[in-house]
Amino acid sequence: MKFKGNAWKFGSDIDTDRIIPARYLNTSDPKELAKHCMEDEDASFASKVRPGDIIVADKNFGCGSSREHAPIAIKASGIACVIAKSFARIFYRNSFNMGLPILESEEAFGSIDAGDVIEVDMDTGEIVNATKNLRFKARAIPPFMQELINSGGLMEAIKKKGAV
Amino acid sequence: MRPMTITEKILARHAGLKEVTPGELINAKVDIALGNDITAPIAINEFRKSGAKKVFNRNKVILVPDHFTPNKDIKSAAQCKVLRDFAIEQKLTHYYEGGTVGVEHALLPEKGIVVPGDLVIGADSHTCTYGALGAFSTGVGSTDLAAVMVTGELWFKVPESIKFVFTGKLRKWVSGKDLILHLIGDIGVDGALYKAMEFTGRPIEALSMDSRMSMCNMAIEAGAKSGIIAPDKVTKAYVDKRAERPYKFYSSDEDAVYCEVREYDCNAIEPKVACPHLPENTKNVGELKNITIDQVVIGSCTNGRIEDLAVAAKILKGRKTAKYVRLIIIPATPHIYNEAMKKGYFDIFLKAGAVISPPTCGPCLGGHMGILAAGERAVATTNRNFVGRMGDVKSEVFLANPAVAAASAIKGRIAHPDEVMK
Ligand code: SF4
């Protein structure tokens, strides 16, 4: 999987209430959720984000609630991939389970500015800042998680195993 | 065999292994799987899409619509109906609504659904609460819940454990809530990322189950996978009255390996307040001068239990909330509600000018029953003070224990309980 898009930059400890505020959780419709994605952090996000764009965030992205609505909203908003210094545990798990590509890189965050053109190769973990001509290598994805992605998420992996 | 922590032992047992090592990926059997009105609809949808017809065990899948209930609007009602229809269709033993529903993490231990030694997953981040019973319990997402509903199993990465050793004695008005706020203030909101937190020491052994639950409840606020307290006679007294299944006590081997050991002297810990907008922004309540407030919320899965209402009642007895302060008290379960009523707390609360809400998550997550307007400030006994958590993005939440919350309601500003209880 390869992606290319413009960077949206966010700070540290972006919690799931900022990714999708609880007041919109009376639905789980991805299109509805996408309309309010990142609303309390940047009210213009939902209207300005373009398909293929990439979120670049500081440490502990997705902390707080277990709501899968957070990765769902991000994915439905058109974001192709999230790069962060680190992810909160449940968000990390959810992203793999439901198929939102994410990568951890300490270095990428500091060297990417909002709007930079970023290329990501999920298979190699390579991140290229095309605007600044810089390259980074993301932390390797454990083979088990890679398998989840290749199967198309947790439920597909279960079906493959014949557990249903 | 390698020495193991309590967490490693429970995981090994449920994975059918003699031993496990941190970092190892395991597939483990799940004793209890929980979903609520926000997370379960997605899980039920995934369950149906998978083609599965029956949940793995109708006694072990628990549905608790507690967030937007009593249904606050049409959309919430539709979400809750998804749970209701599924519970009826699958003949789930544990489905609660109306006058039987309470905040999930207060309800499950109270009903004896979760017992010591269990492996519990919940599509709710505060599922870590049950560590207080000596269970391994952790929050997961809706897809994880769907997978467990189908197979009864789930993948886990065995976490490293951090041991937190408490010494000394708790000061007056200090509870489990203050210990965990102090700790999060020390290590930060990602200070225990991916790790299991083990709370030990004399002061922990001296804590009530209610206080232990508020501590483990907030392990997630340090980024942890779980929080746990070794079960003891306090645990036994609590579960013997309730457990609906046999339970098992596990404890860490003396030479178990921890990635970190941290010590805290309780003699030096005062009642704490976590300032906006992160639980790590903790201060001693005495450091916060003249912070006026508009609302106080006493409730939630962190501090909506009987001990919490008792301390609030003690402080509010014969006193009134300050003018222009809304005090909202939310007993976490119908049982707690009834207890509080029988003990006469409702008279005290009503005379003080409080609103008593039915058991619900309500304002804790900015759902309903007490939402803040722009510019408003609240003291809450809940667990999160993120931007917009209780309402408008320009509102503020200060987290505290119920004694501080009650004292603040009386003073109309953040106040130390000693200021009221001279
Ligand atoms: S009371 Fe608050 S933190 Fe607890 S389960 Fe409900 S919304 Fe979540």
Side-chain angles (χ1 to χ4, degrees):
Chain A
M1 271 186 289
K2 286 190 180 153
F3 306 112
K4 185 174 181 179
N6 291 93
W8 285 82
K9 244 190 132 175
F10 295 102
S12 58
D13 306 313
I14 295 292
D15 57 78
T16 50
D17 279 278
R18 270 185 280 182
I19 297 171
I20 180 74
R23 57 184 179 276
Y24 302 119
L25 298 185
N26 51 7
T27 175
S28 47
D29 175 15
K31 275 199 228 90
E32 268 305 303
L33 295 172
K35 281 190 211 158
H36 305 290
C37 187
M38 304 307 290
E39 185 174 289
D40 290 353
E41 184 66 17
D42 178 347
S44 70
F45 179 86
S47 56
K48 291 207 186 128
V49 65
R50 272 177 310 192
D53 281 358
I54 288 167
I55 286 180
V56 181
D58 205 326
K59 72 169 180 77
N60 203 24
F61 186 82
C63 63
S65 156
S66 71
R67 64 188 70 149
E68 213 156 297
H69 310 65
I72 291 174
I74 290 175
K75 203 174 173 195
S77 76
I79 288 289
C81 162
V82 183
I83 302 166
K85 274 194 187 171
S86 64
F87 290 92
R89 191 198 131 249
I90 308 178
F91 186 90
Y92 186 84
R93 218 182 146 100
N94 283 345
S95 299
F96 282 97
N97 282 345
M98 53 74 61
L100 171 70
I102 60 173
L103 285 174
E104 285 185 323
S105 167
E106 282 277 339
E107 301 76 36
F109 176 79
S111 313
I112 295 175
D113 288 311
D116 285 358
V117 176
I118 307 299
E119 293 168 21
V120 174
D121 184 333
M122 282 305 283
D123 301 320
T124 61
E126 194 171 45
I127 301 166
V128 178
N129 183 337
T131 307
K132 298 202 168 73
N133 204 10
L134 295 167
R135 276 164 197 277
F136 315 95
K137 188 95 179 152
R139 203 164 301 147
I141 299 170
F144 173 80
M145 308 297 272
Q146 194 74 55
E147 223 182 282
L148 276 187
I149 299 185
N150 295 343
S151 316
L154 180 61
M155 292 310 279
E156 291 305 316
I158 285 177
K159 274 193 245 171
K160 259 194 201 156
K161 273 204 284 178
V164 179
Chain B
M1 228 168 68
R2 69 181 285 276
M4 287 193 284
T5 65
I6 177 170
T7 301
E8 290 154 9
K9 285 182 188 176
I10 298 173
L11 288 173
R13 170 72 174 249
H14 286 80
L17 300 168
K18 279 219 172 61
E19 57 177 55
V20 294
T21 319
E24 191 178 339
L25 281 159
I26 57 166
N27 213 40
K29 286 210 165 21
V30 171
D31 292 306
I32 291 294
L34 164 74
N36 60 44
D37 49 324
I38 290 180
T39 58
I42 298 177
I44 292 168
N45 189 32
E46 287 293 324
F47 177 90
R48 297 217 192 277
K49 274 198 332 215
S50 79
K53 291 277 169 293
K54 262 184 138 174
V55 296
F56 82 104
N57 183 328
R58 69 185 187 93
N59 300 318
K60 297 187 167 193
V61 175
I62 323 290
L63 294 182
V64 183
D66 57 353
H67 280 62
F68 294 144
T69 53
N71 298 343
K72 75 154 180 153
D73 55 22
I74 296 170
K75 279 186 182 168
S76 316
Q79 299 258 87
C80 289
K81 190 161 183 301
V82 174
L83 273 67
R84 181 184 161 88
D85 290 346
F86 190 74
I88 295 170
E89 169 198 306
Q90 297 286 325
K91 301 194 174 63
L92 298 187
T93 315
H94 297 294
Y95 164 72
Y96 301 91
E97 61 173 18
T100 66
V101 76
V103 177
E104 53 202 274
H105 309 307
L107 195 69
L108 266 56
E110 177 189 285
K111 293 213 165 284
I113 296 169
V114 178
V115 299
D118 271 359
L119 191 159
V120 183
I121 62 106
D124 188 279
S125 58
H126 293 103
T127 302
C128 53
T129 309
Y130 318 128
L133 298 167
F136 172 84
S137 63
T138 190
V140 296
S142 297
T143 305
D144 284 307
L145 174 60
V148 176
M149 292 198 309
V150 176
T151 65
E153 294 178 3
L154 193 60
W155 65 273
F156 296 93
K157 191 161 139 194
V158 178
E160 292 181 302
S161 292
I162 309 180
K163 187 172 177 172
F164 297 90
V165 185
F166 289 85
T167 59
K169 256 196 145 161
L170 293 199
R171 294 168 70 157
K172 200 172 175 201
W173 306 119
V174 170
S175 65
K177 177 69 164 284
D178 304 287
L179 301 188
I180 192 72
L181 285 178
H182 179 81
L183 192 161
I184 295 166
D186 180 40
I187 67 172
V189 288
D190 61 348
L193 195 58
Y194 301 117
K195 311 244 161 61
M197 302 169 91
E198 192 174 323
F199 308 115
T200 66
R202 281 279 162 74
I204 302 296
E205 289 162 27
L207 288 180
S208 66
M209 282 312 293
D210 285 4
S211 234
R212 291 181 189 190
M213 283 193 246
S214 6
M215 272 194 91
C216 292
N217 175 271
M218 290 191 72
I220 177 72
E221 261 48 76
K225 179 170 204 151
S226 56
I228 199 161
I229 294 172
D232 57 13
K233 54 180 195 297
V234 177
T235 323
K236 188 170 184 326
Y238 182 88
V239 293
D240 272 348
K241 290 183 272 190
R242 307 178 153 86
E244 62 167 32
R245 287 174 290 122
Y247 58 81
K248 191 165 164 33
F249 279 13
Y250 291 87
S251 59
S252 296
D253 291 324
E254 257 173 41
D255 45 355
V257 180
Y258 295 89
C259 62
E260 203 181 337
V261 178
R262 299 184 83 88
E263 276 192 36
Y264 297 95
D265 176 7
C266 291
N267 296 321
I269 299 178
E270 288 190 37
K272 292 275 163 185
V273 174
C275 302
H277 289 285
L278 280 179
E280 69 184 22
N281 298 334
T282 55
K283 293 227 159 66
N284 290 337
V285 60
E287 290 174 77
L288 299 166
K289 303 258 187 267
N290 292 320
I291 302 200
T292 55
I293 52 171
D294 307 282
Q295 178 165 301
V296 170
V297 175
I298 299 178
S300 85
C301 59
T302 320
N303 285 114
R305 299 187 181 78
I306 197 70
E307 174 181 294
D308 305 312
L309 302 185
V311 69
K314 188 168 163 189
I315 291 173
L316 289 163
K317 189 165 186 188
R319 298 187 174 84
K320 286 210 177 310
T321 55
K323 206 166 179 192
Y324 307 121
V325 172
R326 308 180 295 263
L327 170 60
I328 301 168
I329 299 183
I330 314 173
T333 67
H335 177 74
I336 296 166
Y337 194 95
N338 192 30
E339 282 284 287
M341 193 174 66
K342 282 196 296 201
K343 292 193 155 136
Y345 301 163
F346 281 11
D347 288 338
I348 297 171
F349 297 157
L350 292 173
K351 276 188 194 135
V355 171
I356 303 169
S357 156
T360 179
C361 292
C364 171
L365 80 161
H368 60 150
M369 303 296 284
I371 303 306
L372 300 172
E376 286 193 321
R377 203 179 274 146
V379 171
T381 67
T382 55
N383 45 41
R384 290 194 173 134
N385 54 358
F386 298 156
V387 173
R389 175 76 178 175
M390 200 171 270
D392 194 277
V393 245
K394 294 207 181 76
S395 62
E396 292 183 334
V397 177
F398 291 73
L399 306 174
N401 75 24
V404 172
S408 302
I410 293 164
K411 289 287 182 189
R413 58 170 170 81
I414 293 179
H416 194 290
D418 278 343
E419 292 182 56
V420 177
M421 306 287 283
K422 295 221 173 78

